[in-house]
Amino acid sequence: MAILHNRVSQKELKELLYQETEPRTTISFYQYFPIAEPEQFRNELYKHLEVLKVFGRIYVAHEGINAQVSVPAGNFEAFKTYLYSIEPLNGLRLNVAVDDDGKSFWVLKIKVRDKIVADGIADETFNMANKGNYVNAEQLNVMLNDPETIVVDMRNHYEYEVGHFVKALEVPSDTFREQLPMAVDMLKDRKDKNIIMYCTGGIRCEKASAYMLHHGFQNVFHLEGGIINYAKQVKENGLDSKFIGKNFVFDNRLGERITPDIIARCHQCGNPADTHANCANDGCHLLFIQCENCRQQYEGCCSKECQDFNHLPEEERKELRKGIDKGRNIFNKSRARLRPRLGEKEGNGQ
């Protein structure tokens, strides 16, 4: 039987990626559709994509598929043809990255999950088929001029921090499952307004729009293809970008530049900065914003404590790291974890 998962170390795979000469394209896509046997679907998908040298992170569940991948340029058409051969994915919109160096992923991981996006919804009467109407970039820009329109950011606080739409309402939380009931509560007195939900690639705001309709809201919309597709349409059609700053992405890039605006601040010195980094201490890996000066001063670490730790002999560091889940913070910058770790004396609390 074919090996249906990777058996080479992450370090070796990353080194192999940087030795590649053929350019890669970073793509994201999702689709809500019923999958009777997610494990079987996952295995078939893995066998086909491995042959095409696709790297990335894909989640499969009974409710559908959610994927972020990179594809060698020469295999793109074959990749697209295979995806479209799966009936529910035929004609699927593929979001191509805006600011892409082709180094977003270096291994293929396909996992079966309970949901393709963790939502915490336990109500069996909730129906994804009853979702909000799509709006494109031009329609969103027009609707933003209407005072009756409320634009809601359905991403985590650290995504909103580095870039968002003008006048966008932040739902301050660490997880999507927390945001859904919070959004309902925050807008409960404005159920008659035009409400536009948006997110990175569309998967969260599509579910959020259905959740809002489920809770009695009337005029609910969601941005088709999310920020990624919006930026593409803005560029292609010569529109003004109402999204400012960076779009946070969940791969090795940690962000793609949409406009030159820097709206966030370094978590260590408080100067303007919007570059996310993971702490260089392998026992920490905290996700935080760090300017170039602080990167050099702290040697890529989030604190003096982690910097000092990295200067210890390797054997001592290994001993101290035992039992620690080193990857726990890579895409997790909860407020509760961030503030005590950096300390207010090292930042400005932004």
Side-chain angles (χ1 to χ4, degrees):
M1 181 177 177
I3 297 172
L4 297 180
H5 58 85
N6 168 63
R7 290 187 175 178
V8 184
S9 76
Q10 296 287 314
K11 182 180 179 181
E12 289 176 280
L13 288 167
K14 195 169 185 178
E15 289 174 353
L16 288 171
L17 170 67
Y18 279 87
Q19 291 170 16
E20 286 187 354
T21 56
E22 183 178 10
R24 283 179 167 269
T25 302
T26 300
I27 301 162
S28 61
F29 63 90
Y30 73 92
Q31 184 76 298
Y32 288 102
F33 69 100
I35 300 178
E37 300 290 341
E39 191 70 41
Q40 180 180 337
F41 184 93
R42 178 261 176 211
N43 290 344
E44 282 297 312
L45 196 65
Y46 192 100
K47 285 188 289 186
H48 283 86
L49 297 188
E50 184 188 34
V51 171
L52 296 174
K53 298 181 180 179
V54 173
F55 297 156
R57 183 189 307 109
I58 302 175
Y59 297 138
V60 174
H62 283 292
E63 67 172 355
I65 185 171
N66 178 21
Q68 297 85 41
V69 298
S70 79
V71 184
N75 291 344
F76 178 78
E77 287 304 320
F79 167 77
K80 186 176 177 181
T81 298
Y82 167 66
L83 278 187
Y84 285 6
S85 72
I86 302 170
E87 183 56 35
L89 303 183
N90 188 18
L92 177 73
R93 181 189 60 253
L94 302 176
N95 280 337
V96 177
V98 179
D99 183 12
D100 187 16
D101 62 2
K103 308 301 182 186
S104 50
F105 298 100
W106 53 86
V107 65
L108 177 62
K109 293 182 179 180
I110 307 180
K111 297 183 178 181
V112 173
R113 293 284 180 87
D114 290 334
K115 300 278 187 77
I116 55 175
V117 56
D119 54 33
I121 300 172
D123 187 347
E124 293 183 0
T125 66
F126 173 75
N127 184 3
M128 266 304 301
N130 183 28
K131 59 190 179 185
N133 295 317
Y134 280 135
V135 292
N136 60 27
E138 185 175 4
Q139 291 169 326
L140 176 60
N141 282 6
V142 171
M143 293 180 76
L144 277 170
N145 294 325
D146 183 351
E148 295 299 298
T149 296
I150 301 169
V151 180
V152 185
D153 193 312
M154 292 307 298
R155 302 172 303 152
N156 300 330
H157 71 92
Y158 55 87
E159 299 172 78
Y160 180 93
E161 186 176 12
V162 294
H164 52 258
F165 281 99
V166 294
K167 301 180 181 178
L169 176 67
E170 180 187 10
V171 185
S173 65
D174 294 333
T175 65
F176 181 62
R177 67 170 61 232
E178 293 174 344
Q179 279 187 317
L180 290 172
M182 286 175 67
V184 168
D185 186 62
M186 289 171 69
L187 298 170
K188 62 185 177 184
D189 297 326
R190 293 184 273 182
K191 288 190 174 182
D192 58 334
K193 304 292 185 184
N194 289 328
I195 296 175
I196 305 175
M197 329 291 288
Y198 77 88
C199 59
T200 306
I203 187 170
R204 286 176 283 181
C205 54
E206 184 164 326
K207 182 165 281 189
S209 73
Y211 190 81
M212 299 297 277
L213 289 169
H214 183 69
H215 283 271
F217 289 80
Q218 303 298 317
N219 306 310
V220 184
F221 305 84
H222 57 108
L223 181 59
E224 184 177 10
I227 299 162
I228 298 172
N229 192 45
Y230 174 87
K232 176 176 177 285
Q233 291 179 340
V234 162
K235 184 176 181 180
E236 290 177 348
N237 300 312
L239 304 173
D240 289 333
S241 179
K242 301 298 183 182
F243 184 95
I244 55 173
K246 258 186 177 181
N247 179 31
F248 184 94
V249 291
F250 292 86
D251 59 52
N252 195 50
R253 295 171 297 154
L254 295 180
E256 52 186 16
R257 175 68 58 193
I258 306 297
T259 70
D261 307 271
I262 298 177
I263 64 173
R265 294 185 177 275
C266 175
H267 288 147
Q268 290 173 307
C269 70
N271 286 327
D274 61 5
T275 299
H276 274 101
N278 285 112
C279 179
N281 173 7
D282 284 341
C284 175
H285 275 323
L286 181 74
L287 179 66
F288 68 111
I289 295 174
Q290 187 176 51
C291 69
E292 179 58 26
N293 287 339
C294 287
R295 188 189 70 80
Q296 293 184 23
Q297 179 182 342
Y298 291 93
E299 299 174 290
C301 293
C302 70
S303 63
K304 186 68 165 57
E305 177 187 357
C306 280
Q307 186 179 21
D308 291 343
F309 181 91
N310 267 5
H311 287 172
L312 295 173
E314 175 60 22
E315 288 305 311
E316 187 174 348
R317 278 184 282 150
K318 282 184 178 179
E319 188 65 29
L320 290 170
R321 284 199 306 261
K322 281 184 178 178
I324 295 177
D325 177 4
K326 296 182 291 183
R328 71 195 186 285
N329 291 333
I330 287 177
F331 290 127
N332 188 340
K333 194 189 74 176
S334 70
R335 286 182 172 87
R337 179 177 286 111
L338 180 70
R339 296 297 173 251
R341 191 78 186 119
L342 293 177
E344 295 296 338
K345 66 182 180 180
E346 291 186 1
N348 65 346
Q350 296 297 314

